[in-house]
Each structure stands twice: as structure tokens, then as C-alpha cells.
Amino acid sequence: MKKLLFITSYFPPLGGPGVQRQLYYVHYADSHGWQPTVLTTKEVLYHVYDDTLMEKIPSSVEIIRTESLEFGRLLYILSKIKSIFTLRKADKSTAEHRKVSSYLMRVGRWIRDWLTIIDDRILWIPFALPTAIITVKKKNIDVIVARGGPYSNTILGWIVSKITKRPLVLDLADP
């Protein structure tokens, strides 16, 4: 069985249509002769969560979550420290969560747009790069797949591919 490293910023328990594509790539890879390992971020403040998507991930798939300096991650950490930044609760729906954090999301987007050049996920690369290189070498990964957008995922995939001399497949799903 060939091994692949799937690089994506958006992965369950995050929800929404952008997450579904990556989820099903990983879900069906095994039946097509591929053993995927997913490299993604730790939990971030996001507008859609769907914990049920985690059930669709085969148990053979390893998910590696790294730290990040992206604004969604920083806002998530702040929300844990300060009670006024309340995140989702088990009894709240995604719509109610969105109402609670909409102001926080607007402020975060404004800061992100002014301080980041490519996209806010670019601040994930310093954490993900060493982890990706170690994973490729340790697991003897055959192919790297990077999901873009955000574009920083593809930049990360390209750097890892050049360093490890592994082929890179770019999934350019969004314009």
C-alpha cells in the first residue's frame, strides 16, 4: 500500500462544504490502495463545526495536528482564557455559536486582512513544516497532497516536496 501525506488546514471537526472534499479523499483513499496521514492544525475558532464528521474517518488514518499562529487559532486560545469569548457548548447549535462569536470573527478577519499577505494560514507553516518533513521521512511517504485554498497549504506542500524529493499533487478546488 502506498502512503500519502495530506496537507489541509480545514479538517473535521470543522464542518462545511470545504471540509467535505478533504474528508472524502481521506475516507476513500484506503479502498484505492493508499494509506493517508493528515497534517492539519489544532482546533481553531471557526464558523461551522460538525463533530459527526469524525466518525467518517477510518481508524487507520493518522491525524497530526500542529500548533499555529493563525488568527483562528489565537482567537480559540483566547476564548479558553477569557469567558466573554465563549465558544460552542455541547447544547448550542452551530448557528447559535456563530451568533456568539460573530463579532470576534469580524475583528479577526479585519486583523488578518491587514497583517497577512497570502492568507492567514501562512502563520501555520513554521509549525507544520518540520512536522511534515519528519512525517515524510519517518513514515516513508510516497506522495504529498496539498489542498489549496488556502494557498499557504500549497506553499507548504511545495516546500516539503522540494526538501524531501517526493512528488506533490495540488488540489486546487477553490479559485
Side-chain angles (χ1 to χ4, degrees), residues 39-58:
L39 178 64
T40 190
T41 62
K42 289 185 177 179
E43 194 163 357
V44 297
L45 185 63
Y46 194 64
H47 62 281
V48 180
Y49 292 90
D50 188 351
D51 293 324
T52 63
L53 295 177
M54 295 297 290
E55 298 165 9
K56 297 182 186 216
I57 302 169

Side-chain angles (χ1 to χ4, degrees), residues 5-166:
L5 176 64
F6 198 84
I7 298 172
T8 181
S9 298
Y10 300 104
F11 201 71
L14 301 181
V19 173
Q20 302 282 329
R21 185 178 175 110
Q22 291 90 279
L23 171 63
Y24 285 104
Y25 278 150
V26 170
H27 180 78
Y28 291 110
D30 192 49
S31 62
H32 292 284
W34 292 92
Q35 174 59 50
T37 300
V38 178
L39 178 64
T40 190
T41 62
K42 289 185 177 179
E43 194 163 357
V44 297
L45 185 63
Y46 194 64
H47 62 281
V48 180
Y49 292 90
D50 188 351
D51 293 324
T52 63
L53 295 177
M54 295 297 290
E55 298 165 9
K56 297 182 186 216
I57 302 169
S59 59
S60 62
V61 175
E62 180 182 1
I63 302 171
I64 301 169
R65 297 184 187 273
T66 65
E67 198 55 74
S68 176
L69 284 177
E70 65 188 273
F71 293 105
R73 179 71 184 145
L74 296 175
L75 292 173
Y76 177 82
I77 292 167
L78 279 175
S79 73
K80 293 293 187 183
I81 296 169
K82 192 98 167 124
S83 63
I84 62 168
F85 298 119
T86 304
L87 268 182
R88 63 190 162 113
K89 302 258 188 251
D91 59 333
K92 286 190 177 181
S93 70
T94 298
E96 289 169 336
H97 167 267
R98 214 173 312 157
K99 288 177 191 171
V100 171
S101 64
S102 64
Y103 174 74
L104 203 57
M105 294 296 282
R106 282 195 312 272
V107 170
R109 285 186 190 123
W110 183 82
I111 294 169
R112 175 196 67 199
D113 292 346
W114 280 98
L115 296 179
T116 56
I117 297 170
I118 295 172
D119 58 55
D120 71 325
R121 302 294 177 151
I122 197 82
L123 301 172
W124 177 46
I125 291 177
F127 298 92
L129 182 60
T131 303
I133 293 167
I134 290 167
T135 301
V136 167
K137 292 181 178 181
K138 185 177 174 183
K139 293 180 151 273
N140 198 22
I141 299 289
D142 297 299
V143 177
I144 300 163
V145 178
R147 165 77 155 106
Y151 300 114
S152 54
N153 289 342
T154 60
I155 292 168
L156 174 61
W158 179 77
I159 295 169
V160 174
S161 174
K162 290 297 179 193
I163 291 172
T164 62
K165 309 276 192 258
R166 299 299 198 284

